[in-house]
Amino acid sequence: MGRVVLRNIGLLLSGDLHRPILDADTVLVVNGKIAAVGREKDIHCEGAELVVDAKGTCLMPGLIDSHVHPVAGDWTPRQNQIGWIDSYLHGGVTTMVSAGEVHTPGRPKDVVGLKAMAVFAQRAFAAFRPGNVRIHAGAPVIEHGMVEEDFKDLAAAGVTMLGEVGLGSVKDGATAHTMVGWARKYGLQSTIHTGGPSIPGSSLIDKDIVLAADADVIGHINGGHTALPDEQIVELCEKSPRALEIVHNGNERAGLLALRTAGELGKLGQVILGTDSPAGSGVQPLGILRMISMLASLGEIPAEVAVCFATGNTARIRGLEGGLIEAGRAGTFVLCDRAQHSSGKTVLESIERGDLPGIGMVMIDGMVSAGRSRNTPPAGVVPEVVTG
């Protein structure tokens, strides 16, 4: 679409932790990018090819899942399920970040093979977007035998990140630190597994290994599944300047501890969210929404702040195009409302009471990718396309 107008927005959540609610009722998107945000009377809306009447509902950035394990297309062998990514779209997820394609049957662990698989995954998901969801994939798991030149080669081929450190043969802090440093030198972002083992071949990665490795993202600080002891989680929050990732496929109590500690330390800007799925616990299409609701209701933080963890925080830390409602960003949105019969009188109050919002529409790059969600509870009010 060339020009797209979203008007009559009742509540606009920016994704920006420093200003989570904007005084605006209209967004103009031009060629897939946000061109203006403000009051309708102040925005040139003429000539729009698509007009969406939000009907007073809430608009927020498309949600980002910071931790997934894709394999091939929209199929996961972990649960032998087809269509899982499209289902996440109906949970408001518009962007996914791979933490390694580790569930690939027969995953190669030699250096040549793991590099080839990473390049393949990066190319395949760059060209194929199930439901139009943007998937950042091609995340090799580091193994013993890799040298600096391997990381240079990966970067030159278009690979931008590593899979979870600790899911391969490299499990000690010193070796991991060296390889994470090589990755960082060539622009590859790194994530480290945290907590007990999750798949065959993995093992305990404790706080000493995490701190020594100094990866860019402390993956599932609340365990995936099994969390570290409380004192180790607190120490990671205190000592690490890196991203603190809380996931659905982890220990909820540990996640709340990490959130509370980050808040006390003034580090909420480091908190990001993922599902760590598909996993043994299954596919979780509403996993990011459930994390937002859990952290807001049990963590006792404003719902608009919890939304920032899954949008602006992740976009900034991961270097992504979406995640914020501001000019120049991707025109990627979720329009939602309080679920029908929620005890909360507004969408924010309903989230803070532990309910999920009802999604009425999802837009990616200025295009409607989904209407009323088939997975969330029904929204009280649903947006409408009035021109297009």
Side-chain angles (χ1 to χ4, degrees), residues 13-22 61 304-305 307-309 311-313 316 323-326:
L13 304 182
S14 69
D16 182 353
L17 199 62
H18 301 292
R19 192 170 59 139
I21 299 177
L22 298 181
E304 64 269 23
V305 170
V307 167
C308 295
F309 301 154
T311 55
N313 277 13
R316 173 177 48 80
L324 292 165
I325 307 298
E326 64 180 26

Side-chain angles (χ1 to χ4, degrees), residues 165-166 170-177 180 192-195 203-215 218 228 232 236:
V165 176
V170 176
K171 305 178 190 297
D172 65 287
T175 305
H177 180 82
V180 163
I192 189 165
H193 178 90
T194 309
S203 59
L204 171 67
I205 303 294
D206 64 13
K207 57 94 176 175
D208 292 327
I209 299 173
V210 172
L211 291 172
D214 191 32
I218 299 178
L228 295 173
Q232 293 200 28
L236 287 175

Side-chain angles (χ1 to χ4, degrees), residues 16-365:
D16 182 353
L17 199 62
H18 301 292
R19 192 170 59 139
I21 299 177
L22 298 181
D23 181 18
D25 62 9
T26 302
V27 176
L28 172 65
V29 178
V30 178
N31 296 327
K33 301 287 187 183
I34 298 174
V37 181
R39 291 291 170 183
E40 186 172 4
K41 63 183 178 60
D42 301 320
I43 296 176
H44 298 291
C45 299
E46 298 79 7
E49 298 171 50
L50 178 72
V51 177
V52 175
D53 183 352
K55 293 192 171 180
T57 61
C58 171
L59 182 143
M60 67 175 74
L63 303 178
I64 304 169
D65 190 334
S66 175
H67 194 127
V68 296
H69 293 290
V71 170
D74 204 357
W75 167 70
T76 168
R78 190 75 163 98
Q79 294 295 336
N80 195 26
Q81 185 166 335
I82 295 173
W84 70 279
I85 296 172
D86 184 71
S87 283
Y88 278 59
L89 172 70
H90 283 260
V93 173
T94 56
T95 302
M96 294 179 164
V97 181
S98 174
E101 296 75 41
V102 295
H103 300 150
T104 302
R107 172 170 63 93
K109 299 180 181 180
D110 64 290
V111 176
V112 173
L114 72 88
K115 288 166 63 177
M117 192 178 84
V119 173
F120 165 77
Q122 186 275 327
R123 296 286 197 278
F125 281 106
F128 178 62
R129 294 171 57 174
N132 207 23
V133 175
R134 191 182 302 276
I135 302 160
H136 298 270
V141 174
I142 58 175
E143 303 281 357
H144 282 297
M146 296 184 76
V147 297
E148 181 175 347
E149 193 71 17
D150 294 316
F151 295 87
K152 183 178 180 181
D153 291 344
L154 286 164
V159 173
T160 61
M161 56 196 170
L162 300 182
E164 284 182 70
V165 176
L167 294 187
S169 58
V170 176
K171 305 178 190 297
D172 65 287
T175 305
H177 180 82
T178 297
M179 292 190 180
V180 163
W182 288 336
R184 193 172 287 136
K185 178 179 178 180
Y186 295 106
L188 277 70
Q189 190 177 68
S190 55
T191 298
I192 189 165
H193 178 90
T194 309
S198 58
I199 60 174
S202 64
S203 59
L204 171 67
I205 303 294
D206 64 13
K207 57 94 176 175
D208 292 327
I209 299 173
V210 172
L211 291 172
D214 191 32
D216 298 300
V217 176
I218 299 178
H220 48 62
I221 192 170
N222 61 320
H225 302 273
T226 308
L228 295 173
D230 288 1
E231 59 273 16
Q232 293 200 28
I233 293 173
V234 170
E235 188 171 345
L236 287 175
C237 293
E238 291 174 339
K239 292 186 176 180
S240 178
R242 306 302 181 181
L244 308 171
E245 183 186 76
I246 304 174
V247 301
H248 187 276
N249 183 41
N251 181 311
E252 290 89 348
R253 177 183 169 280
L256 290 167
L257 171 63
L259 174 69
R260 183 169 63 252
T261 305
E264 292 170 352
L265 295 170
K267 291 185 173 184
L268 289 182
Q270 294 173 223
V271 176
I272 61 178
L273 305 184
T275 57
D276 187 20
S277 61
S281 59
V283 166
Q284 298 126 12
L286 302 183
I288 295 297
L289 280 180
R290 291 181 64 83
M291 290 297 298
I292 290 170
S293 177
M294 183 192 77
L295 296 178
S297 59
L298 300 182
E300 298 182 340
I301 60 169
E304 64 269 23
V305 170
V307 167
C308 295
F309 301 154
T311 55
N313 277 13
T314 308
R316 173 177 48 80
I317 288 168
R318 293 290 194 180
L320 304 176
E321 295 179 358
L324 292 165
I325 307 298
E326 64 180 26
R329 292 280 180 167
T332 298
F333 317 109
V334 172
L335 291 106
C336 61
D337 192 27
R338 65 185 280 274
Q340 293 177 14
H341 308 296
S342 170
S343 62
K345 298 189 184 306
T346 67
V347 65
L348 295 181
E349 184 180 331
S350 68
I351 292 171
E352 289 165 5
R353 292 191 177 195
D355 286 335
L356 301 183
I359 291 177
M361 183 178 291
V362 181
M363 301 183 70
I364 300 179
D365 299 332

